[in-house]
Amino acid sequence: MNTKRVLHVKNFAHLSPLTLEFGDLTIFVGPQATGKSLLLQLFKLVLDQGAIARALERYGFVWSGDFAALNRLYFGEGFEHIWNEDTSVAWEGKRQSIQPYQKLPDRKEKVFYIPAQRALIFQQNSWPRPFDAFRSTDPFVVRYFSEKVRRFLESMQTSLLFPRERRLHSVVRERLEDTVFRGASLEIVTEGSVKRLMLTMPHGDRLPYLGWSAGQREFIPLLLGIYGLLPLGRQTRRQNVHWVIIEEPEMGLHPAAIEDVLLLLVELMHRGYKVILSTHSPAVLDLLWAWKFLKQIPREEAKGYFRRLFALGGEPHVTALAESLWEKSFAVYFFGPDKQGTRVRDISSLEVWAEDETLSSWGHLTTFPGRAGEVVADIVNRLEAERIESTFRGEDV
């Protein structure tokens, strides 16, 4: 195995020793509380410890070598002992350690993290909380994401955030107008000296955060995070950022909107980012399953199937997205509980005919739909048999 983009972890949290090779798109699936989020946070900690130290220092926190204090400050309350002296982490073949911030020359952020708790960043005044408005024991990635969104909004020179040209390609933007926003626009509204993020409805009413739908509360901070990854001008991506982590991008969304989020993920990869997701949605793996077969046919034919997959037209940008996907790789890992804690398995083959149910059900994402299909098929067959038998009995009479 090539050591490039390979992570080795031992004695961390309740995870069994693991080795993960990352693709251009890497997916973590598995039940709740199996360690997916912790491993994603560890990934950022290893690659971004200089940037994290700088952020904490800015707000008066000390980045020390005390494991319990570090864990509490970064992972949050209750996780004081998940990283200890016996923990071993290697990235790209090199052993990693966490050092006091004074020894870290590289303070550039390489990993952009959109957490699962993104809906919690908004205050009742419909504006993101600043970093220091959270408790010091709240997870760092939540505090840091909220601060980034707040700074992004305060830097805006226009009040209109969505729909807005150049931030998203029209192919995606027009679909989101229908599936998520339902004709509403997202705006920064200044009332007195206070800024608020509001949805302006087609009939003119304005809704604060608490008036948004559950899906909008989940998606809008996700969208604002993605905005920060799509700079205006000639640059196609943010300088120095190579990795994008998104936890559960499907939360609260209708399947049609999830499809549009998948298109956004393809856009991020098209721009050169490597994307890591955790998900409970089989739709994400449906994309990978189709992608696996698209790469087995001639490229020109695959472009047509890509357009068909997303119900898109022949716009040049759609062709560019299909082209970029052809060149990318993916990996899927299942986090499953066992007697020792959590075992991580590579299920990237997505083999639906495998005898191993974990593999064939894509980490149990399709287990219930599969059983439901079997139950319905059995009942239909039984009813059909009874109908045929009843018909024959009638003929005998």
Side-chain angles (χ1 to χ4, degrees):
M1 179 185 292
N2 192 328
T3 58
K4 187 177 181 181
R5 298 195 297 194
V6 173
L7 178 72
H8 300 275
V9 179
K10 187 177 181 181
N11 295 323
F12 174 72
H14 51 278
L15 297 172
S16 298
L18 58 88
T19 297
L20 306 183
E21 184 170 8
F22 291 79
D24 296 288
L25 176 61
T26 304
I27 311 293
F28 289 177
V29 299
Q32 288 85 0
T34 50
K36 299 186 298 296
S37 291
L38 291 176
L39 189 62
L40 291 172
Q41 292 178 63
L42 175 67
F43 184 89
K44 179 172 176 64
L45 178 63
V46 169
L47 271 65
D48 274 357
Q49 57 177 302
I52 294 167
R54 180 180 60 182
L56 290 171
E57 180 185 8
R58 184 185 304 132
Y59 294 99
F61 297 102
V62 177
W63 185 259
S64 69
D66 183 294
F67 284 111
L70 168 62
N71 290 337
R72 184 179 176 88
L73 188 59
Y74 179 74
F75 293 101
E77 186 176 4
F79 294 105
E80 288 82 354
H81 303 294
I82 61 171
W83 174 300
N84 55 58
E85 294 179 355
D86 296 325
T87 300
S88 172
V89 179
W91 170 247
E92 295 185 340
K94 298 179 181 178
R95 178 75 179 267
Q96 304 293 314
S97 61
I98 304 301
Q99 301 291 337
Y101 67 86
Q102 293 93 339
K103 300 179 181 179
L104 297 171
D106 185 3
R107 295 190 168 196
K108 297 176 181 177
E109 184 181 32
K110 306 177 188 67
V111 182
F112 190 94
Y113 199 120
I114 302 178
Q117 306 95 325
R118 53 187 172 270
L120 300 179
I121 71 172
F122 288 104
Q123 305 175 93
Q124 289 189 354
N125 66 352
S126 296
W127 198 251
R129 304 182 196 180
F131 186 96
D132 52 6
F134 291 85
R135 295 186 308 162
S136 63
T137 54
D138 289 333
F140 172 86
V141 293
V142 178
R143 292 183 281 163
Y144 197 47
F145 177 69
S146 186
E147 176 67 12
K148 280 181 167 296
V149 172
R150 185 184 70 84
R151 287 174 175 248
F152 169 75
L153 292 177
E154 292 183 348
S155 71
M156 294 297 294
Q157 301 299 313
T158 179
S159 61
L160 181 64
L161 294 171
F162 185 93
R164 185 180 174 194
E165 294 183 1
R166 299 176 63 197
R167 276 293 176 187
L168 294 176
H169 195 278
S170 60
V171 170
V172 181
R173 186 178 65 247
E174 291 171 4
R175 291 171 57 136
L176 289 172
E177 285 186 73
D178 180 52
T179 59
V180 177
F181 289 91
R182 297 298 179 189
S185 60
L186 182 66
E187 300 179 34
I188 298 174
V189 177
T190 302
E191 298 177 345
S193 59
V194 178
K195 291 183 177 181
R196 305 180 72 191
L197 199 60
M198 308 282 276
L199 279 177
T200 301
M201 308 307 290
H203 47 69
D205 288 344
R206 285 175 169 166
L207 298 182
Y209 170 72
L210 291 179
W212 301 353
S213 72
Q216 290 168 339
R217 293 182 196 178
E218 296 289 349
F219 179 76
I220 287 174
L222 171 63
L223 177 66
L224 295 175
I226 290 177
Y227 270 8
L229 295 166
L230 308 178
L232 299 174
R234 295 182 179 179
Q235 288 187 335
T236 59
R237 69 180 198 185
R238 280 187 54 186
Q239 190 176 11
N240 301 315
V241 175
H242 304 291
W243 298 86
V244 178
I245 293 174
I246 307 176
E247 293 190 76
E248 302 179 36
E250 74 280 358
M251 280 199 298
L253 296 179
H254 183 275
I258 295 175
E259 181 180 329
D260 298 336
V261 170
L262 296 180
L263 203 54
L264 281 174
L265 300 180
V266 177
E267 176 72 39
L268 291 175
M269 288 187 286
H270 171 64
R271 291 177 178 246
Y273 292 111
K274 295 173 179 59
V275 181
I276 310 174
L277 303 180
S278 65
T279 183
H280 297 293
S281 171
V284 178
L285 297 195
D286 282 335
L287 168 62
L288 302 191
W289 195 43
W291 179 1
K292 173 183 174 181
F293 286 92
L294 285 174
K295 298 184 74 170
Q296 297 177 27
I297 62 176
R299 187 177 300 202
E300 288 304 314
E301 292 181 36
K303 293 176 187 177
Y305 279 108
F306 177 84
R307 290 193 291 270
R308 180 177 168 185
L309 177 65
F310 282 103
L312 295 170
E315 296 91 339
H317 188 67
V318 174
T319 301
L321 292 178
E323 280 278 0
S324 65
L325 198 62
W326 182 278
E327 305 293 340
K328 307 298 182 182
S329 62
F330 69 79
V332 186
Y333 294 98
F334 171 65
F335 287 60
D338 64 13
K339 295 180 180 178
Q340 284 71 43
T342 293
R343 178 189 174 201
V344 182
R345 297 180 57 188
D346 186 341
I347 60 169
S348 303
S349 67
L350 298 177
E351 183 57 76
V352 296
W353 300 281
E355 294 183 4
D356 184 340
E357 185 184 2
T358 298
L359 182 56
S360 64
S361 65
W362 298 349
H364 304 298
L365 288 182
T366 62
T367 298
F368 186 76
R371 288 203 305 264
E374 292 173 359
V375 167
V376 170
D378 286 348
I379 293 173
V380 169
N381 290 336
R382 174 184 170 180
L383 293 175
E384 180 65 11
E386 290 176 353
R387 185 190 67 80
I388 293 173
E389 182 180 352
S390 176
T391 299
F392 278 119
R393 284 200 304 265
E395 290 177 350
D396 291 339
V397 173

